[in-house]
Amino acid sequence: MGDGTATATDLGMELEKYRVELTGYCYRMLGSSFEAEDAVQDTLVRAWRSHATFEGRSSLRSWLYRIATNVCLDLLSAGNKRARPMDLTESTPLAQAALAPRPDSTWLEPMPDGRVLPSVEDPAQAALAKESVRLAFMAALQRLPAKQRAVLILREVLAWKASEVAELLGTTVASVNSALQRARATLAERAEQGAGAQVSDPLDEAQQRLLERYVRAFEGYDMTALTALLHEDAVMTMPPFDLWLTGSADITGFMSTMGASCANSRLLPVRANGLPGFAHYKPDPERGGFTPWAVQVLEISRGRITGFHCFLDTARWFPLFGLPLHLEGEADQVEQGQ
């Protein structure tokens, strides 16, 4: 009995080593943070239960990816495709702005870097992993049929050989190569529609300064300073609302009117989707201090902010990012310190 318990513990620890990379894979496949974590848990449970039948004809890692792929393909069989607001509607002028929510299942969801990006020593590999979870790339992946999506992720992101992918999917090398070619063509069309974020890894000095200026401008609610940091074609999104705005004038105009309650907010840095971001807390008039309002994910290109994406479902996102659900105000902190 003691040996069996030790063996079970060893197996659990061995399977757990793959959780982060499997979560990254399932997240790229599904576009949902919570569905990805559920899919990985399902994968590990299935592996645990059927490990006695694992004959070692492939590596444990390959076997786990086969299980995870089947779990994801089953989840995707209904044809659901996660999206960003700009994938669904036209940009709305500020004068016509209205906040209309859509169901959670509509939206591409943010993900903390630490849950999907395993530690790797190769800087090029680390940079590729970050690029492959950025919002624009994730949105493009969601446009691919499920099996093309799996092929592209396995071949281009995880650097599997075509023969390995063919074995995993139970198909031929020729079929894998054909699927990869079609997937690349679709992604190339999407790339032509607008450049993605150009973020250094790690952030270079200019990008760090840009973020510092952004925090000062946002917390001070200085629209003039914020305008200077936004690209003229910058985009602002606010899932679960399908409204999205284009251009610094409409973005700052929205913040000064419909978003005026966010004045005097506080920002805490987070890393999401391989991009810089912030946990946004706005003043809490009832309790004092600050209450969660959004997880912001920023896209930067050519020295300006090009994407300003605010995920507003704080009851879901703040626990996922390990963020507190209330911040004390400075006066409260001083009083507690005394």
Side-chain angles (χ1 to χ4, degrees), residues 196-246:
Q198 299 172 348
V199 182
S200 300
D201 181 30
L203 297 178
D204 63 32
E205 189 176 339
Q207 291 167 346
Q208 291 279 16
R209 285 200 303 270
L210 176 65
L211 293 177
E212 290 166 4
R213 291 170 63 198
Y214 169 75
V215 170
R216 288 196 298 271
F218 193 96
E219 291 188 343
Y221 232 55
D222 183 340
M223 295 300 120
T224 300
L226 192 59
T227 297
L229 305 178
L230 294 172
H231 190 275
E232 60 183 10
D233 296 323
V235 168
M236 179 181 183
T237 67
M238 292 167 285
F241 302 114
D242 59 13
L243 170 73
W244 63 285
L245 301 167
T246 305

Side-chain angles (χ1 to χ4, degrees), residues 6 47 56 71 74 96 109 113 123 166 176 193 197 215 234 238 250 260 277 282 308 311-312 315 325:
V71 170
D74 286 345
Q96 300 170 21
E109 297 178 345
D113 284 2
V176 166
Q193 296 172 10
V215 170
M238 292 167 285
D250 274 6
K282 71 175 187 177
F308 177 48
F311 295 90
L312 302 181
L325 294 177

Side-chain angles (χ1 to χ4, degrees), residues 9 17 24 44 55 70 77 82 148 212 239 264 272 284 331 336:
T9 301
K17 291 178 184 176
L44 296 180
E55 299 173 353
N70 289 332
S77 61
R82 301 264 174 172
Q148 280 187 34
E212 290 166 4
N264 301 310
D284 187 337
Q336 288 177 3

Side-chain angles (χ1 to χ4, degrees), residues 241-320:
F241 302 114
D242 59 13
L243 170 73
W244 63 285
L245 301 167
T246 305
S248 57
D250 274 6
I251 291 172
T252 56
F254 178 90
M255 293 173 64
S256 302
T257 54
M258 297 177 75
S261 63
C262 292
N264 301 310
S265 290
R266 292 293 177 268
L267 299 180
L268 298 182
V270 297
R271 292 290 303 186
N273 293 84
L275 295 164
F278 296 94
H280 171 195
Y281 293 82
K282 71 175 187 177
D284 187 337
E286 296 181 2
R287 296 176 58 191
F290 301 89
T291 192
W293 184 246
V295 169
Q296 301 178 359
V297 182
L298 304 186
E299 293 172 320
I300 299 171
S301 182
R302 302 180 298 279
R304 297 284 184 90
I305 295 169
T306 56
F308 177 48
H309 306 289
C310 304
F311 295 90
L312 302 181
D313 191 351
T314 55
R316 300 173 78 216
W317 304 132
F318 275 55
L320 182 72

Side-chain angles (χ1 to χ4, degrees), residues 145-222:
K147 286 196 174 178
Q148 280 187 34
R149 204 180 303 179
V151 167
L152 185 121
I153 296 166
L154 290 165
R155 291 282 286 119
E156 300 279 84
V157 178
L158 301 176
W160 285 40
K161 297 176 182 176
S163 58
E164 294 171 330
V165 178
E167 183 180 354
L168 182 146
L169 294 175
T171 187
T172 64
V173 169
S175 176
V176 166
N177 289 337
S178 176
L180 179 60
Q181 188 174 8
R182 293 196 301 275
R184 283 173 172 167
T186 300
L187 261 61
E189 290 174 8
R190 297 275 297 172
E192 289 175 3
Q193 296 172 10
Q198 299 172 348
V199 182
S200 300
D201 181 30
L203 297 178
D204 63 32
E205 189 176 339
Q207 291 167 346
Q208 291 279 16
R209 285 200 303 270
L210 176 65
L211 293 177
E212 290 166 4
R213 291 170 63 198
Y214 169 75
V215 170
R216 288 196 298 271
F218 193 96
E219 291 188 343
Y221 232 55
D222 183 340

Side-chain angles (χ1 to χ4, degrees), residues 27 35 40 50 53 68 73 106-107 120 124 133 210 235 274 314 335:
Y27 175 60
E35 285 185 2
V40 171
S50 59
T53 65
L73 292 178
T106 307
W107 303 116
V120 294
V133 293
L210 176 65
V235 168
T314 55
E335 189 173 313

